[in-house]
Amino acid sequence: MHSNPSVAPAGEGTLEDKLSRGNVFAVGCPARAILTNVTSRWGVLVLIALRGGTLRYSQIRRKIGGVSEKMLAQTLQSLEADGFVRRVSMPVVPPHVEYSLTPMGEEISQLVQGLTDWIETNLSGVFAARSAAAA
Amino acid sequence: MHSNPSVAPAGEGTLEDKLSRGNVFAVGCPARAILTNVTSRWGVLVLIALRGGTLRYSQIRRKIGGVSEKMLAQTLQSLEADGFVRRVSMPVVPPHVEYSLTPMGEEISQLVQGLTDWIETNLSGVFAARSAAAA
DNA sequence: CGGGATCCGTTACGATACTG
DNA sequence: CAGTATCGTAACGGATCCCG
């Protein structure tokens, strides 16, 4: 019996609930937390990295430059908790753990990829703006 | 959030440059910095808030719940430096400053909006995943 | 009204060492 | 190999005061 925020019974819910539901601008909006995870520094890169298919922990770490073990583990955990990443652990020695995108993860990673794609193709525009600002 | 002083526009091509250009996974990729600004906690919300049209500083602050003066000013400055936000200051008393999206800002804000829209419509799915993870 | 300057607590982050 | 534990640093973020 998990709470389902999208189907709220009529006559139920506090004023604050009504204000924050479906409103990212509200302080308590639950979408903000998810957004924070997805758009976090390493979250973005992990989501994109896994678009190519299943990867092992060390493979992700090697693929993403500059990420520490701690942050990678932490990022993977939050993404897994939100249902964007699937973690499969093989009980063997040495340990073998595989990470992949869930269907939900595929969807959102596409949007994130769109963002990074736009930035990469418009890098020159941004730099032009910076130069103009400096002048 | 932080200036990026050492960015060579064009001309030389070191090995590291070639590796990092067009590769978000590389440590020195300039797209990472922009991505960080755009996907920052308040950057996302500012970009969406301005989609409705020009707003004044205090209006943005009121619209976005929980943002402090400091962070809002800081966020607006980095977005302006990157060419996503236009700042128009009217030299009157009391001061009157208007913020709006540039054409580039419009484009990227659309992508950001797509992200938040997806999250809002799929909130239930994420919560279901969280419940499953907790069990 | 729009911020800049300052102070200060909280968190994020990274490097290293260690364990199953 | 895949993490966790611990620690130190740096950046983030908020509150307050103040000035143009």
Side-chain angles (χ1 to χ4, degrees):
Chain A
M1 66 119 245
H2 53 72
S3 59
N4 195 331
S6 61
V7 280
E12 259 301 319
T14 65
L15 175 62
E16 284 172 358
D17 279 347
K18 285 177 194 272
L19 287 176
S20 59
R21 210 181 342 250
N23 178 14
V24 266
F25 296 129
V27 180
C29 180
R32 270 205 195 180
I34 303 170
L35 193 64
T36 300
N37 288 343
V38 171
T39 64
S40 72
R41 180 173 179 192
W42 305 116
V44 172
L45 298 177
V46 166
L47 285 175
I48 297 177
L50 287 178
R51 298 200 78 218
T54 300
L55 288 180
R56 298 181 58 174
Y57 180 85
S58 52
Q59 289 180 308
I60 303 176
R61 188 151 144 66
R62 242 170 290 128
K63 187 165 187 175
I64 302 179
V67 66
S68 66
E69 295 183 3
K70 178 184 171 182
M71 292 315 298
L72 180 54
Q74 195 173 305
T75 302
L76 284 169
Q77 282 169 13
S78 64
L79 288 179
E80 186 196 2
D82 285 352
F84 297 126
V85 165
R86 187 184 303 114
R87 179 182 183 276
V88 179
S89 175
M90 325 277 288
V92 296
V93 283
H96 186 101
V97 182
E98 291 182 343
Y99 291 94
S100 58
L101 291 177
T102 63
M104 266 186 13
E106 299 269 8
E107 288 187 38
I108 207 156
S109 77
Q110 229 168 356
L111 298 174
V112 171
Q113 174 96 63
L115 251 182
T116 64
D117 283 350
W118 188 95
I119 292 177
E120 287 188 350
T121 67
N122 291 277
L123 265 184
S124 57
V126 174
F127 283 124
R130 285 186 179 173
S131 304
Chain B
M1 299 322 105
H2 49 67
S3 52
N4 205 333
S6 57
V7 171
E12 78 280 20
T14 68
L15 177 60
E16 285 173 357
D17 278 348
K18 284 178 194 282
L19 287 175
S20 58
R21 218 191 317 263
N23 177 14
V24 266
F25 296 129
V27 181
C29 180
R32 270 204 196 181
I34 302 170
L35 193 64
T36 300
N37 287 344
V38 170
T39 64
S40 73
R41 183 175 179 190
W42 304 115
V44 172
L45 298 177
V46 166
L47 286 174
I48 297 177
L50 287 178
R51 297 200 79 220
T54 299
L55 288 180
R56 297 183 57 178
Y57 180 85
S58 53
Q59 287 179 311
I60 302 176
R61 186 152 146 65
R62 240 167 302 151
K63 188 165 187 175
I64 301 178
V67 66
S68 67
E69 295 183 4
K70 177 183 171 182
M71 292 315 297
L72 180 53
Q74 201 173 98
T75 302
L76 284 169
Q77 282 169 13
S78 64
L79 289 178
E80 187 196 2
D82 286 351
F84 297 126
V85 165
R86 186 185 304 113
R87 179 181 183 275
V88 178
S89 175
M90 325 278 286
V92 297
V93 281
H96 186 102
V97 182
E98 292 182 341
Y99 291 94
S100 57
L101 291 177
T102 64
M104 263 183 21
E106 297 271 7
E107 287 187 38
I108 208 157
S109 77
Q110 231 168 357
L111 298 174
V112 171
Q113 173 97 61
L115 251 181
T116 63
D117 283 349
W118 188 95
I119 292 177
E120 286 187 351
T121 66
N122 291 277
L123 265 184
S124 57
V126 174
F127 283 120
R130 284 187 179 171
S131 305

